[in-house]
Amino acid sequence: MLTIEKLVKEENERQNNHIELIASENFTSKRIRNLCGSVLTNKYAEGYPGKRYYGGCNVIDRVETLAIENAKRLFECKFANVQPHSGSQANFSAYVALKNWIGIKDRKMKILSMSLSNGGHLTHGSPVSFSANDYEFSFFELNKDGRIDVKIVEKAIKAEKPDALLLGYSCYTYQIAFAPFAEICKKNKIKLIVDMAHFAGIVAAGLHDNPCKYADLVTSTTHKTLRGPRGAIILCNDEDLAKKVNSAVFPYAQGGPLEHIIAGKALGFEEAAQPKFKQYMEEVLKNTVACAEKLRSLGATVVLPENHLFMLNTKKSFGLTGLDAQHILEEYNITTNKNMLPDDDEKPNVTSGLRIGFPAMTTRGCNEQDAREIGQIIYDILKYRSNKGANEFEEGQKHLTARVQRLTRKMKRVEKL
Ligand code: DSN
């Protein structure tokens, strides 16, 4: 009989048997998973520590306070809301809070951001998300090197006259230094929001500029590079804005907080503050570059990254769409996701490239040599399957599956982390 437990077991095996390269995924520690499956899931606690709508919240208050204090310490900020269930919900509440804080009543708040096609996020103004409906978004372009450029952004601020600039991404391979952007926001009297969902772990490790030092509001997920449980947070340094954030999360957007997940977040922040998390993140950055360099040395079109992910132009490199490349790699137990390249002429569900990241495999013990081997395997598979030089790779093809298996077997098992 099919039971849900059997499906969990099956997924456990899938995670162990695959090379997981989705840049936004990671593997939590067993301690975090235990907290997320703990009895805390039984408790209703609408409200905030000390101000709940239910009795019996004495322990829960201490759990949530610990999570708040750990988040504040980790990101060096004054206020943290740890209740958002997801990154999209954090952004939903952050925009509401900012609009109320600025005092906009009779019009839509205007936000300048990076479009989804240039690497932004659905909630950064995509027409298919609440964001484009509830707010007036405009978009800045990237410079010729594909970077967010302060001069281009300032020009867009002057042209569009937004209330806020939003920085952050789902697919961008460079680090962002926030000071110049904070300066132009101040000069043009607009607010700065940073969505650090992808790079929060790099910030926590001290290997990326900390947006909390510059932005009015910072949102993040907790499960990507940060390696906590699935969920999100909102951070700021202004007391009045923090109050607006709290009421924009509960009761405006959400009901009862997921205190079992908040417990997992508390531990995730604690783990990310340890020296070994910094070592882990250094490895992530090195592995990402090692794989990208390998692919480039073989002739693939790749830009070397400064963070945990890079884009492989599958169309230029192999004549394959991102969608086809994703499906082909999946046949060999390599998990990636298709992603738009800047100025992509394919549709978002087809694309011309793959996004490849190393947070997850590095957690399982992947080192630079393994990362280079992964680059070689990806190249061999896509080259062979693109039908260019099939003979040349025939021998390699026979062994490709075995090479993936050899790699996944030598990695740590996900349930033991
Ligand atoms: N789904 C996330 C990602 O893959 O980047 C964004 O929310």
Side-chain angles (χ1 to χ4, degrees), residues 22-25 87-88 119-123 169-171 195 197-198 221 223-224 230 308-309 337 339 355:
I22 293 179
S24 50
E25 290 191 15
S88 293
H121 185 253
L122 286 168
T123 59
Y169 58 83
S170 281
C171 191
D195 176 348
H198 259 269
T221 51
H223 51 273
K224 296 186 173 91
R230 194 159 291 276
H308 61 294
L309 68 93
N337 67 286
N339 214 103
R355 187 181 66 164

Side-chain angles (χ1 to χ4, degrees), residues 299-360:
T301 306
V302 164
V303 177
L304 293 187
E306 294 172 356
N307 58 6
H308 61 294
L309 68 93
F310 67 87
M311 287 297 302
L312 170 61
N313 187 326
T314 53
K315 203 178 234 180
K316 255 196 190 159
S317 311
F318 307 101
L320 294 167
T321 65
L323 179 67
D324 286 339
Q326 177 191 311
H327 285 155
I328 290 168
L329 290 175
E330 192 144 14
E331 286 176 36
Y332 297 85
N333 285 5
I334 299 178
T335 317
T336 58
N337 67 286
K338 61 184 182 297
N339 214 103
M340 302 280 276
L341 299 168
D343 300 323
D344 207 321
D345 50 13
E346 294 287 355
K347 292 200 184 94
N349 55 357
V350 178
T351 82
S352 302
L354 287 180
R355 187 181 66 164
I356 294 177
F358 275 79

